[in-house]
Structures are given as C-alpha cells and as structure tokens.
Amino acid sequence: MHWWSQQACEAAAEAQAADPSPANLMAAAQVQALVSMAEALHRIAAALEERDEADGAPPLSVRPR
C-alpha cells in the first residue's frame, strides 16, 4: 500500500469513528473505492512503463503527440 492510500484510509477511519452516521459510512466507502481505483491505475501505469522499457520505446514524456 502506498503512503497516500494509507493516509486516505486512516483519515476515513478516523472520520467514521468520530461520527458513525450513514453519511460518514458512505464517505468512507467512497474513499476506499477511490483508493482502490487509484492503486489499480498505478499498477497499470507501472506495467505499461515496464512493457515500454522492454520494447525499447522512449518514455511517454518525450514521445511526439
């Protein structure tokens, strides 16, 4: 787990513990979903970078558009 995802989960848990209202429960679930999506996108980006490096492609930052 990345530091940013750990911080988001901890903040959501603290908010939920401070006020276990249905709105906070929903907000905590949304934070968890967003963190999961962010981690998945991070893994996809890393896999694409590894694939490009194996193929000898230049990094995205220097490719012409």
Side-chain angles (χ1 to χ4, degrees), residues 41-55:
L41 290 171
H42 184 76
R43 286 191 300 272
I44 290 168
L48 290 173
E49 286 178 2
E50 288 176 12
R51 182 201 65 188
D52 287 349
E53 288 174 2
D55 292 344

Side-chain angles (χ1 to χ4, degrees), residues 13-61:
E14 287 175 13
Q16 185 179 353
D19 178 13
S21 67
N24 267 1
L25 295 175
M26 180 59 74
Q30 291 171 339
V31 167
Q32 292 290 345
L34 289 171
V35 167
S36 294
M37 289 190 310
E39 288 178 336
L41 290 171
H42 184 76
R43 286 191 300 272
I44 290 168
L48 290 173
E49 286 178 2
E50 288 176 12
R51 182 201 65 188
D52 287 349
E53 288 174 2
D55 292 344
L60 288 174
S61 60

